[in-house]
Amino acid sequence: MSTDRLLIREWELGDAEEALQVYGADEVAHWLTPEWRPVNDTDAMRSVLHAWIESGPNLMPPAGRWAITRREDGQLVGGLSVKLLPPFEEDFELTWALRPDVWGQGYATEASRAITGWAFKQGIEEIFAVARPDNERAIAVARRLGMEWVGETEKYYDMTLQVFRLRPG
Ligand SMILES: CC(C)(COP(=O)(O)OP(=O)(O)OC[C@H]1O[C@@H](n2cnc3c(N)ncnc32)[C@H](O)[C@@H]1OP(=O)(O)O)[C@@H](O)C(=O)NCCC(=O)NCCS
């Protein structure tokens, strides 16, 4: 899937080094879900990618995990996922992570528009994003995407989260 500036594609094991610059960055890891274990080196990142790649075919679309690369220079700038929110696994959640040095250029918004457009074509009628109340950048992405604020809840991940929802159209 491509957008003006980005390519959204499946992960590859060869992405480990560049993916580490995304998921190994403290500024990113700090905001990931509580079960995320810190990834400190390329081998650890490769193991994570291996698990993501292996589990991919078992996920029910629109669930999935994708790498975001920049078309201009092929650099990997981040990752996106659509996954079922625990514990009930009824609602789909959109998550983003960008390499800190590319924050502030609209890549998360641009990639999310493409993936949510595709997700709605798979038959779902809503997609959620959850963010800790102090995750200002994530909340700003949700708002920029036109997501509606639904409320604050503790039902996901045992933490207080702001919930946003997007519907087609
Ligand atoms: C959440 C995260 C992906 C947001 O990244 P981001 O770069 O701030 O978000 P966007 O890609 O939408 O970029 C928006 C910024 O780019 C600017 N921008 C520039 N060109 C733009 C364009 N063409 N379109 C939209 N925005 C653009 C916007 O004005 C905005 O700038 P600001 O931050 O100075 O207000 C990033 O902070 C991150 O990886 N955080 C850690 C992980 C995380 O918290 N994930 C969410 C929970 S799962």
Side-chain angles (χ1 to χ4, degrees), residues 54-97:
E54 289 281 299
S55 63
N58 301 322
L59 299 177
M60 183 179 68
R65 297 178 183 279
W66 300 271
I68 308 170
T69 63
R70 188 159 55 193
R71 290 171 60 184
E72 183 184 37
D73 56 7
Q75 279 193 30
L76 194 147
V77 293
L80 271 180
S81 77
V82 174
K83 54 187 186 179
L84 285 164
L85 270 165
F88 305 114
E89 306 211 329
E90 290 166 349
D91 299 326
F92 284 100
E93 173 198 14
L94 173 68
T95 76
W96 326 272

Side-chain angles (χ1 to χ4, degrees), residues 5 31 96-98 103-109 135 137 141 144:
R5 297 177 293 172
W31 299 110
W96 326 272
L98 290 181
W103 290 8
Q105 299 182 53
Y107 292 156
T109 302
N135 193 349
R137 281 194 168 266
V141 177
R144 220 175 276 121

Side-chain angles (χ1 to χ4, degrees), residues 99-159:
R99 216 175 66 197
D101 67 312
V102 305
W103 290 8
Q105 299 182 53
Y107 292 156
T109 302
E110 188 169 317
S112 299
R113 287 210 174 101
I115 217 76
T116 55
W118 169 81
F120 290 138
K121 286 191 193 137
Q122 310 303 305
I124 60 163
E125 288 177 1
E126 52 189 14
I127 191 161
F128 293 84
V130 298
R132 286 183 229 170
D134 55 347
N135 193 349
E136 291 172 17
R137 281 194 168 266
I139 289 171
V141 177
R143 294 205 183 284
R144 220 175 276 121
L145 285 170
M147 293 183 114
E148 169 197 3
W149 183 76
V150 183
E152 195 168 81
T153 183
E154 283 168 24
K155 75 174 176 172
Y156 307 124
Y157 303 112
D158 279 332
M159 58 199 306

